[in-house]
Amino acid sequence: MNNCWIENDIIPDLNQSEKDWLIENFDGRLDPEYNLVITWENELPLSITKKFMTIGKHLGLKLSTTSVFTGTPGKMVLPHIDKIDGYDPMPWRLSYFVQGGCPFYWWEPGEIVRKGPYALIQDETVLIDSLDTTETKSAFLRTEVPHNVDMTGNDMTRIVVTATYRETDKKNASWDYLTNRLK
């Protein structure tokens, strides 16, 4: 297994004041309908954004977006592919796990059952990979393969800071490009 994620220490650890800021600003930002909330505003402290920019430079990529995901304790997110209307699926994200680590699963492609604003929701099919983010600091996560988050064992809001990157021609860098750059 391990085809859909790469655990890493490429991202400098967030200091305690950065973690405290994220918890203060995002703990409790929940949407019971979706179980997972994406905050797209670039409201992160500059110190965090600069850490993600430095990683991009190291990989020969340009930082495209930063966002924060919050997840509702005790809930399950359905398998989905990350995709914004009018754009190709997002191939991968770099995620830093701040609070509320939980299992993350990848599935064989299945039938699309619903289109959400940022995702194509699918049927569960055959499990092909998993990562327990309870003890993981950060990881590159493949997102154009159906995946879901299992927060059923959580008792606190899941908070993840994430970044997407593009090549200099403004195209999303592929998973293969990333894995080759990390070798």
Side-chain angles (χ1 to χ4, degrees):
M1 284 219 234
N2 191 20
N3 301 323
C4 296
W5 60 274
I6 303 166
E7 191 171 354
N8 68 90
D9 57 7
I10 195 169
I11 184 170
D13 197 10
L14 300 182
N15 63 45
Q16 192 58 49
S17 67
E18 291 167 330
K19 291 176 188 176
D20 290 344
W21 185 91
L22 288 159
I23 292 166
E24 180 180 321
N25 285 275
F26 293 96
D27 198 358
R29 260 197 216 189
L30 305 171
D31 183 339
E33 181 181 354
Y34 290 105
N35 300 334
L36 200 64
V37 177
I38 308 166
T39 302
W40 289 103
E41 315 97 73
N42 287 320
E43 58 181 86
L44 294 177
L46 187 57
S47 62
I48 296 174
T49 303
K50 282 184 175 181
K51 289 176 181 179
F52 282 113
M53 290 172 70
T54 300
I55 293 161
K57 287 180 185 174
H58 174 76
L59 295 172
L61 298 170
K62 184 165 178 63
L63 180 64
S64 183
T65 64
T66 57
S67 53
V68 177
F69 286 87
T70 57
T72 306
K75 299 292 182 175
M76 176 80 77
V77 176
L78 295 172
H80 63 280
I81 295 170
D82 295 1
K83 184 180 185 312
I84 298 173
D85 287 341
Y87 294 90
D88 291 333
M90 294 176 205
W92 54 273
R93 296 180 185 277
L94 174 56
S95 293
Y96 185 92
F97 306 100
V98 178
Q99 171 179 287
C102 60
F104 204 96
Y105 301 108
W106 285 268
W107 304 85
E108 286 286 345
E111 184 179 331
I112 303 294
V113 294
R114 187 174 82 238
K115 293 182 180 183
Y118 307 110
L120 300 175
I121 313 302
Q122 298 197 172
D123 279 329
E124 285 185 10
T125 53
V126 176
L127 190 65
I128 59 171
D129 206 352
S130 65
L131 170 65
D132 184 351
T133 64
T134 306
E135 300 296 324
T136 304
K137 180 175 77 171
S138 61
F140 295 96
L141 304 174
R142 195 165 186 180
T143 56
E144 95 279 23
V145 173
H147 56 281
N148 77 312
V149 183
D150 179 357
M151 299 170 295
T152 56
N154 287 22
D155 59 358
M156 62 177 63
T157 303
R158 179 177 182 262
I159 301 174
V160 177
V161 182
T162 187
T164 61
Y165 296 87
R166 64 180 186 266
E167 294 182 62
T168 53
D169 65 356
K170 302 190 187 218
K171 178 177 86 172
N172 288 332
S174 71
W175 181 255
D176 290 337
Y177 177 91
L178 172 67
T179 55
N180 287 333
R181 296 293 298 170
L182 291 170
K183 287 182 182 173

